[in-house]
C-alpha cells in the first residue's frame, strides 16, 4: 500500500510540472491607455505627468538609457528627423540619474525641440507597467491615446510615423 501511495504522489508531483503558469497579462494590456507618468525633468524640480500631454496628438513613449548604444542611435535619428516628427509627442524616459540624462539631452541636442520631453522615471513605473526587457523600448499611442503597439529595440522614423498616425 505504501508503494502505491508513493507512486501516486510521485505521479501527481510530476504532472504539476507540466502545467503552464497562468500569469496575468502585463498592466499595459489590461490598461491600454497612457500610464500615470511621473517624470522628473532636467531642471530637477518640474514633474511631468500624463496631464501634461497634448490632447489629440499621437504619443511615443520611449524608455532609454544614456549608456545604451541603440538608444543613442535612436536619439540621433530623432534629432535628424525632428521636422518629420513635429506632429508626434515624444516622451523619453530613463531611470538613470539626472546628470546622465542631461548629458544625453545635450549630446543629442534634444533640448530645443518643442515636441520632445525628456525625464527621469522617479516612480520606476514604466518597467513594471510595460514589462520590457531591452532598450530602447517604445510604446506608441494614436491621437485618441489608444495603444497602437509596443516595440523593444530600435525603430525607424518612418515606422514610428506610420504606426502613430494610422487610425
Amino acid at each position: 500500500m505504501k508503494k502505491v501511495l508513493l507512486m501516486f504522489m510521485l505521479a501527481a508531483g510530476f504532472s504539476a510540472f507540466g502545467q503552464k503558469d497562468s500569469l496575468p497579462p502585463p498592466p499595459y494590456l489590461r490598461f491600454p491607455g497612457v500610464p500615470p507618468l511621473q517624470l522628473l525633468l532636467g531642471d530637477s524640480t518640474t514633474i511631468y505627468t500624463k496631464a501634461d500631454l497634448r490632447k489629440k496628438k499621437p504619443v511615443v513613449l520611449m524608455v532609454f538609457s544614456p549608456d545604451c548604444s541603440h538608444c543613442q542611435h535612436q536619439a540621433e535619428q530623432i534629432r535628424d528627423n525632428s521636422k518629420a516628427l513635429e506632429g508626434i509627442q515624444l516622451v523619453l524616459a530613463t531611470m538613470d540619474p539626472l546628470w546622465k540624462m542631461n548629458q544625453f539631452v545635450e549630446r543629442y541636442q534634444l533640448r530645443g525641440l518643442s515636441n520632445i520631453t525628456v525625464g527621469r522615471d522617479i516612480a520606476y513605473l514604466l518597467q513594471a507597467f510595460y514589462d520590457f526587457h531591452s532598450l530602447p523600448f517604445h510604446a506608441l499611442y494614436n491621437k485618441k491615446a489608444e495603444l497602437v503597439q509596443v516595440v523593444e529595440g530600435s525603430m525607424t522614423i518612418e515606422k514610428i510615423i506610420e504606426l502613430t498616425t494610422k487610425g
Side-chain angles (χ1 to χ4, degrees), residues 26-29 31-36 61 124-132 141:
Y28 78 90
L29 291 175
F31 309 103
V34 178
L61 181 58
Y124 297 98
L125 169 93
L126 298 176
Q127 206 289 319
F129 187 80
Y130 292 109
D131 191 32
F132 56 84
Y141 295 87

Side-chain angles (χ1 to χ4, degrees), residues 63-114:
V63 182
F64 75 98
S65 171
D67 298 326
C68 161
S69 63
H70 295 285
C71 302
Q72 294 167 359
H73 178 69
Q74 190 76 70
E76 287 172 352
Q77 285 188 325
I78 289 169
R79 178 198 60 214
D80 295 345
N81 293 281
S82 61
K83 292 281 187 220
L85 293 166
E86 282 180 339
I88 301 169
Q89 297 177 79
L90 291 124
V91 179
L92 281 62
T94 185
M95 290 163 276
D96 284 46
L98 280 180
W99 68 269
K100 277 188 169 187
M101 181 188 82
N102 286 333
Q103 282 181 345
F104 184 86
V105 168
E106 290 304 317
R107 180 176 180 188
Y108 296 102
Q109 304 158 354
L110 302 175
R111 188 171 312 280
L113 304 174
S114 64

Side-chain angles (χ1 to χ4, degrees), residues 144-161:
K144 298 175 190 171
E146 299 167 332
L147 180 66
V148 176
Q149 189 169 346
V150 296
V151 177
E152 293 190 45
S154 298
M155 293 184 71
T156 65
I157 299 303
E158 294 79 15
K159 192 69 172 174
I160 290 172
I161 293 169

